Amino acid sequence: NAGVTQTPKFRVLKTGQSMTLLCAQDMNHEYMYWYRQDPGMGLRLIHYSVGEGTTAKGEVPDGYNVSRLKKQNFLLGLESAAPSQTSVYFCASSYSGGRFEQYFGPGTRLTVT
Amino acid sequence: AQSVTQLDSQVPVFEEAPVELRCNYSSSVSVYLFWYVQYPNQGLQLLLKYLSGSTLVKGINGFEAEFNKSQTSFHLRKPSVHISDTAEYFCAVSKSFQKLVFGTGTRLLVSP
């Protein structure tokens, strides 16, 4: 079991460029999440999905889009990167919401110059 | 809306000393409470969780936490820390089938 994997691990973008972060899980989890982590701010939820083909906005969705075409994959897109999107991005998955543990990927460090 | 407060952004402690990391939450209904740990350059992993029942919860690596409903707290403790416990610790809260809300984290720095 690989658990939750994220690609790429590191990326540097110029302002205005676009990119897609890929998250994959092999635990057959229904729920998947994208967070960003910034110093002193903890983890903030960007978007999440409660099942294949469904997505919903989290706390800080502006500037990001997501897709969940397959149950095991959750993609996070930045259409026009801005320096404020410099952050570490974590993907997580869980069997369901509420009481169920979330399993995290190793993170993607994104720098936008 | 629920929220989580971790008052201490950083806690320095010597090896083999006891430690307590504080977490308070705000919610008017029953909640589920979690502590996650993040080692340097890694993702988060679950340390322990409170769902119901006994208010004292034991987790991995010798950590434990006590749920106090009257004080809306869920403080994390360890009687004797190791250098390897140096990490960032996040408290989180959720309700039934709802999303996790994380605190801002407490960095535990263990020195010899």
Side-chain angles (χ1 to χ4, degrees):
Chain A
N1 270 2
V4 179
T5 57
Q6 293 182 233
T7 50
K9 288 187 168 49
F10 304 93
R11 186 72 186 268
V12 178
L13 287 179
K14 291 188 182 342
T15 298
Q17 288 185 320
S18 63
M19 78 164 293
T20 300
L21 281 67
L22 171 64
C23 175
Q25 53 95 3
D26 61 2
M27 296 173 283
N28 202 32
H29 285 164
E30 289 294 336
Y31 285 45
M32 296 187 75
Y33 314 82
W34 275 107
Y35 295 93
R36 61 177 289 173
Q37 183 180 25
D38 302 290
M41 304 193 74
L43 272 79
R44 292 181 293 169
L45 184 65
I46 305 171
H47 286 280
Y48 66 101
S49 168
V50 299
E52 182 179 316
T54 72
T55 63
K57 293 180 181 179
E59 183 186 357
V60 289
D62 294 343
Y64 305 95
N65 56 74
V66 287
S67 65
R68 182 105 181 262
L69 298 179
K70 292 183 179 180
K71 186 177 183 178
Q72 63 268 34
N73 295 337
F74 195 29
L75 279 62
L76 177 71
L78 285 73
E79 289 186 347
S80 179
S84 60
Q85 294 177 303
T86 293
S87 188
V88 181
Y89 292 85
F90 287 99
C91 176
S93 71
S94 64
Y95 178 73
S96 183
R99 64 201 299 265
F100 292 94
E101 173 185 356
Q102 291 189 15
Y103 293 80
F104 284 80
T108 295
R109 186 173 294 274
L110 175 66
T111 301
V112 183
T113 61
Chain B
Q2 57 215 18
S3 66
V4 179
T5 302
Q6 293 182 251
L7 287 172
D8 304 307
S9 60
Q10 191 165 289
V11 173
V13 64
F14 288 109
E15 196 174 18
E16 298 184 8
V19 71
E20 179 179 83
L21 306 184
R22 296 180 293 169
C23 173
N24 288 87
Y25 66 94
S26 66
S27 177
S28 59
V29 297
S30 296
V31 295
Y32 305 120
L33 294 157
F34 304 79
W35 276 99
Y36 283 82
V37 60
Q38 183 181 30
Y39 297 105
N41 299 313
Q42 294 185 27
L44 281 71
Q45 63 185 90
L46 183 69
L47 204 54
L48 50 78
K49 62 183 176 183
Y50 171 80
L51 303 181
S52 65
S54 173
T55 57
L56 184 63
V57 180
K58 294 192 183 298
I60 61 172
N61 300 337
F63 283 92
E64 62 181 32
E66 185 154 21
F67 169 59
N68 188 319
K69 188 174 182 179
S70 62
Q71 297 187 2
T72 59
S73 69
F74 190 54
H75 300 332
L76 181 70
R77 303 187 188 101
K78 186 169 183 178
S80 175
V81 295
H82 300 136
I83 296 284
S84 59
D85 292 323
T86 293
E88 189 147 22
Y89 292 79
F90 292 93
C91 183
V93 62
S94 73
K95 295 188 287 187
S96 291
F97 299 103
Q98 294 195 16
K99 306 175 293 297
L100 271 182
V101 175
F102 285 90
T104 52
T106 297
R107 190 173 298 276
L108 178 64
L109 298 170
V110 183
S111 53

